[in-house]
Each structure stands twice: as C-alpha cells, then as structure tokens.
Amino acid sequence: MSQNNIVLSVADVSKRFGGLNALSDVDLQIEEGTVHAIIGPNGAGKSTLLNVCVGRIKPDEGHVIFDGEILDRHKPHEINQLGVARVFQTPEIFPDLSLLHNVMLPALAKRDGAFKFNAWVGLERENALRQEAEHILEDVNLYDERMQEAASLSRGNKRRLELAMGLIQKPRLLLLDEPTAGMARHDTNRTIDLLKKLKARGMTKVIIEHDMHVVFSLADKISVLAQGQIIAEGTPQEVRGNPKVQEAYLGGAH
Amino acid sequence: MLLQERKDLFLMAIFSFVVLSAPILFQPIGAGYPDLLQKFAIYGIFAIGFNILFGLTGYLSFGHAAFLGIGSYAAVWSFKLFTMNVVPAIFLSVIAAGLFAALIGFVSLRRSGIYFSILTLAFAQMSYSLAYSVLTPITNGETGLQVRALLKEGQTRGLLDADIRVIDSFFGVEEFGIPITNFFGLKMSGWEGFYFCAIILIIAFFISLKIFRSDFGLMLRAIKSNQNRLNYTGINTRPYLLVAFMISGMYAGLAGSLLAVTDPLAGAERMQWTASGEVVLMTILGGAGTLIGPLIGAGIIKYLEQIFSSINNYVLFTFFDFLPVELQVLVTKLTSLFVGEGWELTLGLMFMIVVVFLPGGVVEGINRIMGLFHKRKRKEDTTTNHKAQPAE
C-alpha cells in the first residue's frame, strides 16, 4: 500500500447549522488507492462532511483540497470534472430514463466535459460509450434490465445503478454515502464483493457506513467521527480496540 | 444503417408524404384549402420548437409569443427595407428571435419551476407593452407594422408609411401598388404559399427529430428527470438549457416570420399572453415530450378554432330544426355559448378533459389504443402457443 500520495485533504473544516456544530476542526487525509471509511453514530456529521467535499455545502472555515485544487471554491459540476464522483445516500438517478442512458450520461460527461453542443450525432452511434455502459451494468448485475426505465427498479437495484453511474467515470476519488443502507443481507454481500473487486483496480474511495460488517471487510483505514470531531483514526484493528470509539458508540451516544 | 435510424427515415418519409399531400388528405374534413393548412404548418412549427424546451427539459415558458412577435416584426422590416423575397426575412427573423431568446433565457433560466414560468411571462408582457408604447417608431403601435408602397422621389414620409426595399430597387423589380411576398419570383400566396410553409415544416421537424435522438437531446431529458443529479454528474446544465431555450425561441421566430410571409403585417397582439398560452395548450393537448404530439395539438386547435368560430346562431338554429320550437330556441342559446366568439370555452373544456383523462395528450391516447390492440394480438399468440405445447 502506498503511503505517500494524499489525494484529498480536509483541512480544519468547521460547519455550524444554527447552534449545532456539525463539524468542528475536522482534519482528514485520504491516501491514493485506499478505501477510507468514515464511521460514527447518527448525527456525527458524516453526511455533512461528504457534502462539503462535493460542493453541496460550503464550510464556514477551512478547506477541502483535492489534488491541489480547493474544492469548496468550485461548483458541483466542476468538482466532478476534476475527478471526484459521488454516490448518494438516497438513490439519485434519472428515473424517466433507461438504465443504459442513466449510465451513459456520466460517461458522456467524462468524455465531452461540462458542456458540448452535439445535436447531430445520434445516440445510437455512440457504440464505444454504450459498450462501456453495458460492461458496467454487467458488473453490477443489471445488464438484463438495461432497457427498463430506472424508476421501475427496486431500491437496492437503484443504489447499484447509482454505483455504476459513479464507477463508469473512473473517478480518481469516489465518495460513497452508505452504499448498502436499506439492502437485504445477500444484496449487501453482493455489493461488498463488487467493491472488493473494484479495490483491486486501485480506485480511491471514501465510504460512509453504518454497517460494521461492510466497514471491516473493505476499509484500509477508518476515521471515527463523533459530534463533529474525529475522535479516532487508524487501521480496522486499531480502531476496533480503541476505548474512545467504544464509548462513542455505546456510552457517549446517550 | 442502424435500426433507429432506419425507423426515423421511415418516419420522415411518412411525415413528408402526409404533409405534402395534406391538400388531398384533409379535403374530407373540410380543411383542404391553403389558408388553413398554412396555419397548421406555421403553428405546428411553433409548437415543435416549444416542445424542444418544454417537452424535453420540462421548463415551461409562458412567454414564447414574444419570439413569435419579434419574428413577425423582423420579417416585415426586411420586406420594407430590403426585399419582398422571403429568404432574407426568414433569416433575419430567426436571428433576431435567437438573440432575444438568449437575453431572456440568460435571465429567466436562473430560476426553475414556477419562477421561470413567471419570469418568461413577465418578459413577454413587457415586450407586448413596449411594442404598444415606447417602441411605436419600430412597431407602429396599435395599427401594426405593414408593407407599404415604395417611397417616391420628392416624397417626405416616414419609413412606417413608405418602404424603400433597397435590394429590390437595386435589381429594378417593378411594383404596382402593394407587392406580395415571393421566393425568388414565386408568389407566396395560395398553394405556393402553403407548399413553402410545408417544406419548412418538414425541415423543422427533421431538426427536432435529430435533436431528440442526439446526445444533446439525452442531456435535455436528463435535466427534466433530475437536474440536480446531472450537476453532480459533471454537467453544467445552464448552457444546455440556454441553448434549448434559444432553439425554441428561433423556432418561434421562424413561425412568426412565416405568419408575415402569408400576410405581411405584424401587430403587438401576436405577443400577448394568450398567444403564449395557446402554444402551451397545443403542446400538452398533443403530448408534451413526444415528437409528433405538438404538431397534432396545433392542428387540432387551429382546425377546431376555424370550425367553431365560424358557427353562428343562425347555423345552430337551423341545425336544431328537428326539435320543437321552444326547445330549439333554448338549445340554440345554450350551445351558442360554445361557438363563435365563445369557442375558447370549448377549447377550455377540451383541454380539461384531456389533462384529466389523458395527461400524455392525444399521442398517449393513440398509444393506449395501439397497446390494447397489441395485447389482444399477444393473447391470441399465447393461446395458440399453449395449444401447441402438449404436442411437444
């Protein structure tokens, strides 16, 4: 595992909502090629942290730096174009479009940039793009449904579709917000297998997750967030044995 | 050739055939004359363009009549200043409408949903008021802008009352009285006028088809489906919307110029909100977001307008001749509310019925009927299969 390259660094980020300190002085370094899990009890600020990373929320203080760029000064589409893709907690897909088109859209964005007026080339002629999309849909086991409208999918399948939408862009950094929440156990296991397979391809990922089973089977490194602060950080073994973490999960949450 | 492309080619062939043989096809319903068919074509173009914005992106503009009006004014000015040839007039109109759409779109597209609709409505009403007041030197106010006879030597009249037509004069085109628009000498009246509009309609439909099937079209549909997600997918949605808005504005400008081609005058009432509302009705009635729906909607509305608004009390009274006299009078009085001046009441009712029972418009209705037909056919197939099975 490479120890050198920091892809994303969150530097002293604070965010308040009214009187609530959602994040206070959060520092976080994500190394290239690793799977970095962020865990913590409900309301710890995990989703806020992810939203700050993709430009959905502006931090009150501090910065998020990706590959030398200060992300919080960019718009969402610019952040994506820099190579940060995100998979949302509630599946965010294009419900009226077919699965194939759902996956082709991010691929188009990757190929053509944030804007390209192309009204003459028919979609049907985009062979390379379609094949790529079909491969990804095979990876997430949705190939047979590729011509269906995305709205017709089950919740678990929608989440897998969204995962495919993130994966097709081959982003340098993929942010996953509870990729298995609301999935049945066998679905969860399939998603874990998929993510493990991807790990071999060397994509850097940040995963927010409740499910400890998922976290401990995937993560190289874990940061524990509680009440807007990072209280522990380390390998899964280190974190598991950390008394602070046990307190946050068992005692401190009450 | 790919499957979809082959299908589209077939669709274009059928479409062109229907449009070009409309004078014969529409004869039985009493619409086989050039004035009405021309109206179908022109408002069809207007609705096709509107559908590129509303049908694909879901952004409901309530101000598209402004572009229609600008198209008409630009065309008439081209007739007055340059030539009675329609080609420069059409180009000028499309460009003027496109530029104006860029301006209005740039501001209005900062908001979405109802706020966008209100902003476009406000802009259109502003244009309408301006055309009546401050801009009278350009629009000739209430009278409307008209083509006039050439300015004769020694006369000192304003450009509103006399034309110069520099290009025509340069080529020494002779004029007697007020000239008729032409396409390189071919007079744009009667059937020639219709066929000119028909060919432009076919081109306009082809461009719309291309947009529907392209990467650009997919982006527009994705905006309608989930604009927020598209932003996080790395797409800057604003320029896509602006281009769609401009294209549909240019379609409206084109329609406006064709209105001026058939009848070379332009008035501010063309920009009124009722005209903007009409194109919304056409699109929804036919089926927003479908290729052919808006055109069908435009045809239905313009046809019924023609029929219903020409019926008067006398026609109704003779129609109900079979009833006893007291009843005849009563029924005539009741039904007269829905015809003539009151035909919009009929339109309103029809619109309500369609929106409640067929939210996808006429096209959805056709699809449902086709669906029933297919289902029955499939059932027959499965029953025959079922019978065949035991033999295996």
Side-chain angles (χ1 to χ4, degrees), chain B residues 302-370:
Chain B
K302 284 294 152 192
Y303 177 66
L304 293 182
E305 181 185 11
Q306 189 78 13
I307 302 282
F308 279 91
S309 58
S310 66
I311 297 174
N312 55 30
N313 282 2
Y314 176 74
V315 178
L316 282 177
F317 196 72
T318 41
F319 181 75
F320 294 116
D321 218 11
F322 58 92
L323 295 168
V325 180
E326 294 80 16
L327 210 57
Q328 191 182 5
V329 171
L330 185 71
V331 171
T332 305
K333 250 190 190 150
L334 275 178
T335 46
S336 71
L337 291 173
F338 292 87
V339 297
E341 296 270 288
W343 103 270
E344 274 157 5
L345 204 55
T346 318
L347 177 64
L349 273 177
M350 197 172 67
F351 185 68
M352 269 162 33
I353 292 168
V354 166
V355 168
V356 170
F357 294 104
L358 275 181
V362 175
V363 168
E364 190 195 333
I366 295 172
N367 282 341
R368 275 198 203 171
I369 293 167
M370 301 275 260

Side-chain angles (χ1 to χ4, degrees), chain A residues 56 81 92 123 125-126, chain B residues 5 213 215 226 229 232 234:
Chain A
R56 207 178 211 186
Q81 290 290 348
E92 287 270 344
L123 258 183
R125 297 238 166 220
E126 303 281 13
Chain B
E5 285 182 4
R213 301 279 188 252
D215 295 2
N226 191 346
R229 181 60 171 108
Y232 288 99

Side-chain angles (χ1 to χ4, degrees), chain A residues 68-227:
Chain A
E69 292 275 348
I70 297 175
L71 284 193
D72 42 278
R73 288 183 188 160
H74 286 280
K75 290 183 179 145
H77 70 264
E78 294 169 343
I79 293 175
N80 178 286
Q81 290 290 348
L82 287 170
V84 182
R86 161 157 193 194
V87 176
F88 289 80
Q89 189 174 357
T90 46
E92 287 270 344
I93 51 170
F94 302 103
D96 314 307
L97 304 180
S98 70
L99 268 62
L100 196 61
H101 285 168
N102 262 278
V103 184
M104 280 173 81
L105 275 164
L108 271 169
K110 166 99 177 175
R111 192 192 69 186
D112 294 344
F115 174 73
K116 187 183 178 193
F117 178 66
N118 183 358
W120 293 107
V121 179
L123 258 183
E124 221 192 359
R125 297 238 166 220
E126 303 281 13
N127 282 324
L129 222 58
R130 191 176 51 251
Q131 275 163 13
E132 202 183 336
E134 283 171 353
H135 277 304
I136 295 277
L137 285 172
E138 266 168 18
D139 281 346
V140 295
N141 276 325
L142 287 171
Y143 181 78
D144 293 334
E145 292 91 341
R146 68 191 183 284
M147 300 315 281
Q148 280 179 26
E149 245 181 34
S152 68
L153 293 181
S154 70
R155 195 179 152 85
N157 279 346
K158 277 182 187 159
R159 312 208 64 174
R160 248 203 302 276
L161 172 64
E162 207 194 339
L163 190 59
M165 290 162 70
L167 294 175
I168 198 166
Q169 292 193 317
K170 299 190 186 74
R172 289 196 55 202
L173 177 65
L174 183 63
L175 307 172
L176 301 159
D177 197 347
E178 300 197 20
T180 63
M183 278 188 187
R185 179 50 74 182
H186 74 277
D187 256 359
T188 304
N189 287 337
R190 253 158 64 183
T191 309
I192 293 174
D193 289 343
L194 175 66
L195 290 172
K196 270 185 183 159
K197 198 161 82 186
L198 295 165
K199 195 174 160 180
R201 294 184 200 169
M203 194 184 287
T204 313
K205 285 188 279 299
V206 173
I207 297 186
I208 283 186
E209 189 56 74
H210 262 311
D211 192 328
M212 289 304 131
H213 172 61
V214 178
V215 171
F216 285 106
S217 46
L218 282 174
D220 300 312
K221 207 169 176 192
I222 297 175
S223 298
V224 186
L225 203 62
Q227 285 155 353

Side-chain angles (χ1 to χ4, degrees), chain B residues 21-214:
Chain B
S21 53
I24 303 163
L25 292 177
F26 289 126
Q27 192 74 51
I29 57 165
Y33 58 97
D35 284 17
L36 185 58
L37 287 177
Q38 218 159 4
K39 240 185 204 173
F40 286 179
I42 293 171
Y43 282 94
I45 292 170
F46 190 19
I48 287 174
F50 184 75
N51 188 45
I52 291 173
L53 180 72
F54 174 56
L56 288 180
T57 71
Y59 275 65
L60 175 58
S61 160
F62 252 107
H64 258 51
F67 308 126
L68 190 78
I70 284 162
S72 290
Y73 281 124
V76 176
W77 271 113
S78 165
F79 296 144
K80 289 171 82 67
L81 294 179
F82 307 123
T83 166
M84 288 307 283
N85 192 324
V86 296
V87 175
I90 287 175
F91 267 103
L92 269 175
S93 300
V94 172
I95 290 167
L99 289 177
F100 200 66
L103 191 74
I104 292 188
F106 184 76
V107 179
S108 306
L109 287 167
R110 296 187 164 266
R111 292 284 169 269
S112 60
I114 188 81
Y115 301 103
F116 170 78
S117 303
I118 297 291
L119 277 171
T120 50
L121 177 65
F123 269 115
Q125 284 303 91
M126 257 162 62
S127 318
Y128 170 68
S129 307
L130 284 176
Y132 259 134
S133 55
V134 191
L135 295 179
T136 306
I138 302 173
T139 62
N140 205 15
E142 261 177 80
T143 326
L145 195 63
Q146 287 171 30
V147 169
R148 301 292 174 112
L150 275 182
L151 189 71
K152 296 200 178 63
E153 238 167 281
Q155 276 180 333
T156 48
R157 303 167 78 180
L159 273 175
L160 290 174
D161 297 316
D163 299 351
I164 49 175
R165 271 188 283 287
V166 283
I167 297 176
D168 280 1
S169 307
F170 180 76
F171 286 105
V173 178
E174 297 211 13
E175 286 184 11
F176 306 99
I178 290 170
I180 299 175
T181 55
N182 67 74
F183 177 70
F184 298 107
L186 189 70
K187 294 261 182 289
M188 288 291 106
S189 55
W191 286 117
E192 290 88 344
F194 163 70
Y195 275 106
F196 182 72
C197 293
I199 286 164
I200 291 189
L201 170 67
I202 291 170
I203 297 169
F205 183 76
F206 177 70
I207 293 174
S208 152
L209 178 75
K210 274 285 182 192
I211 289 175
F212 265 67
R213 301 279 188 252
S214 67

